[in-house]
């Protein structure tokens, strides 16, 4: 870049949907993804939902020659599923695990077990540009009409935004790629973009090629669940490439592409999500640029207010659950104490020979112990949830004050 | 600072040992801390182990007039215990919860429930300096000879160092205050200081006044457990103020003080830890300074290697525990299946009337269910532990390679 003032960066982002035993035709698709990446030679590849470390290792072996640098982010029980392949040296990595990520007892949704995180790679391109590329995935949306996870997803969007704000000063360019599980007009996206100044590659791209409206979950992908997309005949856009320049650089999106239901030249798709591919043009400029927020600040304040209201709703729900699980634990404890008193009374010969049948008495005691343990565990979990929601609400309040005081 | 090129910053750091119902004379001490802080008028106050939000609120009310800006970091079941009071506006906060922090079943140590974290405040002093002041506490050391928590503490020290590296570019000066639960020569401290370039206020101070060797856990504090300090007749130094300048600034520690077993002019101490008070001189200089690491890099590589070895030891222990809890869960499941088969056999009239006494049969089934649930929970926990230790080891490997390649 020293001679040529323009750098062209080709970025690939995909939610791979590679869950062992559950995802359809997983191995075949991972192989296909590997072949395509090797053929296309992107500069940076951000992958999500690579849940099996084996798949990552296979990809690493296959891509070793063209992407000599890679990193797999480990977290949670199953993992974060995030990995990154790069043609340029990765200087440093950092993993930030979101403080809230669903409920451990919602086994059918399973987000809690994944340890969803944002993984940050600081890498070095040529002799000038240091690029930060957080790869991330937020909590899934299972029901848009009655979205019980909205407060958790907003906490994650806020934490992601804060994480990017605080870490991005170490870079010239920030690139974020990931499955954000939010539609473009959703409050979480407005919050993330407003608070960080990130630009959306789809809306900024000079040329676009791919699914209509840039959708990444489309009905003509054979792996998507058609009933879930009924209200959205074109599909939905939930996978993004976002970017901004920090210091004396400018970034422009020359071209954005998505796959369109099948992998190029194949009869099956890479995943149930479409891949997003951006060509970015990075230029050094004389004056420090800095993305002007200015007029956008009113909309940002609106987004923060809206998000704070939703977090408040989640907080009150969490407080109710903390209260009811606490009450349940106390009741179970009282039942146990009552039983212990009755048993002691019988032993001491105070009552008649055997007032209760032994078996049901024991069963009841075990039931009470079970309920006590479960309710205590849930109470502790919801106590943590309340603390984190309160903390986020407080941070948002502080941000709103700062926005009002320094407009 | 625009006119005068030198800024003097007075920082107060204390582990308050304010655990409701457990810490001795808590309310009296919190009141005493509040009175002293109001009288002394420090610029920045970093407190740890303020576990009760009520104590924080009381302090906030009392200190409102002289420290108009404050923040309480919420996390975990009990909280992070971290709070900060400042004379200058807090622009932004970020909480990073360590990925490992002891074991939930070690109830007597209780670290797991605290959600230990590093809380970062970005604040603004005058028209020039932005200061980052992470306040933090690492996992306690319960037995120095056989320190089962060393790998977890090292993961925390590494995460703290990484967090500081990645966030500090947004500031002119970085100040870290906290109870690091490590002696000055311990590998974790060497790692943290080497990897971040932070300087230790005690070793750099021009003037020092306080306990010998700067100790912060001393035998003549009436709340310390004397038997634990037997091998260290002078006490130990585990509370630190660390600092560094990032951009075109220099920081010098003019004076460092510690309390000496009692609060100044009183007959009781603030806490079981001594308070650390630093006066720092911050100067703008023409050229960007940047703390030279240079010759220290060999020692840094040693520290990273040593830490990586310890993390590896922890990893193997965690893998063994994951295996044994997994085996236990499988055995409990087998027992349950066997019982189910026997019960079905009896119901179907295959066996004799009633081969087992009903009560012991039921008790055994409940026992098996209990063991199955417990072992599964522990298996999941140790799986997460393995993942985080692997992740840290991998990051350290990457750091070592970078140190070797760019010496």
């Amino acid at each position: 870049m020293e001679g040529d003032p323009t750098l062209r960066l080709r970025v690939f982002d995909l939610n791979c949907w590679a869950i062992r035993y559950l995802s359809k035709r997983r191995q075949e698709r991972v192989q296909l993804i590997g072949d395509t990446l090797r053929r296309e030679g992107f500069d940076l590849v951000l992958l999500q939902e690579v849940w099996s470390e084996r798949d990552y290792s296979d990809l690493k072996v296959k891509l070793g020659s063209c992407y000599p640098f890679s990193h797999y982010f480990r977290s949670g029980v199953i993992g974060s599923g995030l990995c990154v392949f790069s043609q340029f040296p990765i200087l440093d990595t950092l993993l930030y695990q979101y403080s809230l990520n669903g409920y451990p007892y919602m086994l059918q949704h399973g987000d809690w077990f994944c340890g969803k995180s944002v993984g940050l790679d600081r890498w070095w391109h040529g002799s000038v540009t240091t690029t930060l590329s957080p790869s991330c995935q937020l909590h899934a949306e299972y029901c848009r009409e009655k979205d019980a996870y909205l407060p958790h997803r907003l906490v994650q969007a806020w934490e992601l935004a804060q994480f990017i704000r605080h870490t991005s000063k170490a870079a010239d360019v920030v690139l974020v790629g990931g499955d954000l599980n939010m539609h473009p007009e959703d409050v979480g996206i407005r919050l993330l973009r407003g608070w960080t100044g990130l630009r959306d590659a789809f809306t900024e791209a000079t040329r676009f090629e791919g699914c209509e409206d840039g959708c990444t979950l489309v009905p003509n992908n054979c792996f998507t669940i058609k009933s879930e997309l009924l209200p959205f005949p074109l599909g939905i856009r939930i996978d993004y490439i976002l970017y901004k320049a920090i210091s004396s650089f400018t970034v422009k999106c020359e071209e954005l592409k998505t796959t369109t239901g099948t992998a190029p030249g194949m009869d099956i798709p890479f995943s149930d999500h479409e891949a997003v591919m951006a060509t970015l043009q990075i230029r050094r400029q004389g004056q420090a640029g800095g993305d002007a927020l200015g007029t956008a600040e009113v909309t940002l304040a609106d987004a923060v207010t809206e998000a704070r209201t939703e977090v408040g709703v989640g907080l009150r729900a969490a407080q109710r659950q903390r209260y009811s699980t606490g009450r349940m634990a106390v009741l179970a404890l009282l039942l146990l104490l009552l039983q212990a008193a009755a048993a002691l009374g019988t032993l001491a010969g105070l009552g008649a020979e055997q007032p209760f049948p032994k078996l049901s008495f024991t069963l009841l005691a075990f039931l009470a112990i079970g309920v006590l343990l479960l309710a205590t565990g849930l109470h502790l979990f919801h106590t943590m949830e309340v603390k984190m929601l309160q903390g986020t609400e407080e941070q948002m309040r502080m941000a709103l004050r700062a926005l009002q005081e320094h407009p």
Side-chain angles (χ1 to χ4, degrees), chain A:
Chain A
M1 195 158 157
E2 215 107 36
D4 177 15
T6 306
L7 168 78
R8 225 164 237 100
L9 211 62
R10 291 179 63 229
V11 185
F12 179 93
D13 172 77
L14 174 67
N15 175 332
C16 296
W17 188 48
I19 315 168
R20 269 216 275 195
Y21 316 118
L22 286 178
S23 301
K24 285 178 201 155
R25 302 171 75 175
R26 189 189 102 249
Q27 282 167 313
E28 192 182 342
R29 290 188 292 106
V30 169
Q31 211 153 22
L32 186 62
I33 293 169
D35 292 339
T36 309
L37 292 178
R38 194 164 57 179
R39 200 174 53 238
E40 292 284 333
F42 292 95
D43 295 294
L44 179 71
V45 175
L46 304 169
L47 303 180
Q48 301 97 46
E49 292 206 2
V50 181
W51 299 120
S52 145
E53 217 168 318
R54 184 74 162 278
D55 285 341
Y56 167 71
S57 306
D58 291 350
L59 280 173
K60 192 176 165 171
V61 169
K62 179 174 262 177
L63 301 176
S65 59
C66 38
Y67 303 89
F69 306 96
S70 65
H71 190 75
Y72 186 72
F73 293 94
R74 290 175 181 87
S75 80
V77 178
I78 306 171
S80 73
L82 305 174
C83 63
V84 57
F85 291 90
S86 161
Q87 289 208 18
F88 305 99
I90 295 174
L91 298 177
D92 222 344
T93 63
L94 182 66
L95 186 80
Y96 183 96
Q97 209 169 328
Y98 305 122
S99 57
L100 289 178
N101 189 29
Y103 304 98
Y105 49 82
M106 297 300 271
L107 291 174
Q108 76 278 29
H109 292 160
D111 290 69
W112 187 84
F113 292 91
C114 305
K116 282 192 179 163
S117 320
V118 46
L120 181 145
D121 283 278
R122 200 157 61 86
W123 54 282
W124 189 64
H125 184 291
S127 59
V128 189
T129 322
T130 321
T131 312
L132 273 186
S133 11
S135 172
C136 47
Q137 190 181 21
L138 304 194
H139 198 294
E141 182 182 79
Y142 294 99
C143 169
R144 196 162 172 82
E145 284 67 47
K146 217 181 150 191
D147 184 7
Y149 297 109
L150 179 59
H152 283 210
R153 201 177 313 107
L154 284 175
V155 168
Q156 294 182 342
W158 177 255
E159 288 179 347
L160 175 60
Q162 286 281 79
F163 180 76
I164 291 170
R165 264 171 81 96
H166 282 277
T167 53
S168 57
K169 286 282 164 63
D172 300 318
V173 172
V174 177
L175 289 178
V176 181
D179 168 12
L180 300 180
N181 273 314
M182 298 184 284
H183 298 212
E185 72 284 1
D186 283 359
V187 56
I189 286 282
R190 283 184 281 132
L191 184 72
L192 172 66
R193 290 194 47 207
W195 196 233
T196 55
L198 285 165
R199 287 154 189 272
D200 183 348
F202 172 72
T203 53
E204 305 275 330
T206 314
R207 280 192 307 281
F208 174 74
E209 200 179 297
C211 297
E212 209 169 328
D213 287 347
C215 292
T216 57
L217 218 56
V218 294
N220 63 339
N221 178 310
C222 62
F223 296 129
T224 52
I225 300 162
K226 303 295 167 289
S227 59
E228 285 179 3
L229 290 174
L230 273 185
F232 308 100
L234 291 178
I236 55 178
R237 182 157 78 92
I238 57 174
D239 298 82
Y240 297 83
I241 290 179
L242 308 170
Y243 60 82
K244 73 168 175 172
I246 300 291
S247 50
S248 53
F249 286 84
T250 54
V251 192
K252 235 183 90 178
C253 181
E254 273 186 2
E255 186 180 55
L256 192 82
K257 281 185 182 179
T258 71
T259 50
T260 50
T262 51
M266 302 296 293
D267 62 335
I268 66 159
F270 286 137
S271 160
D272 59 346
H273 286 242
E274 301 307 315
V276 185
M277 293 154 282
T279 306
L280 302 173
Q281 195 192 74
I282 300 173
R283 257 174 190 278
R284 182 182 273 270
Q285 60 173 18
Q287 282 284 309
D291 293 71
L293 280 172
T295 54
E297 224 136 88
V298 182
T299 16
L300 171 58
D302 286 350
V304 179
T305 310
E306 200 177 328
R308 198 181 153 210
T309 311
E310 289 296 346
V311 170
V313 171
L315 175 59
R316 281 182 291 284
Q319 279 167 332
R320 277 196 301 275
Q321 280 174 304
R322 179 179 63 171
Y323 173 75
S324 59
T325 48
R327 194 181 49 186
M328 179 84 84
V330 169
L331 286 178
L333 187 67
L334 283 179
L335 179 61
L336 263 182
L337 290 176
L338 209 72
Q339 280 201 292
L344 282 176
T346 315
L347 278 179
L350 288 178
E353 310 103 48
Q354 181 72 24
F356 311 107
K358 233 179 190 171
L359 182 66
S360 19
F361 194 78
T362 321
L363 279 178
L364 191 64
F366 271 105
L367 190 74
I369 292 174
V371 171
L372 176 63
L373 288 178
L374 193 73
T376 308
L378 287 178
H379 182 71
L380 291 181
F381 178 82
H382 288 299
T383 303
M384 283 198 261
E385 190 190 7
V386 164
K387 281 213 191 298
M388 298 319 304
L389 288 165
Q390 276 175 336
T392 307
E393 213 197 5
E394 166 76 17
Q395 280 188 27
M396 288 177 171
R397 199 182 52 74
M398 205 187 260
L400 271 176
R401 206 181 48 199
L403 282 175
Q404 280 152 5
E405 282 175 9
H406 310 281

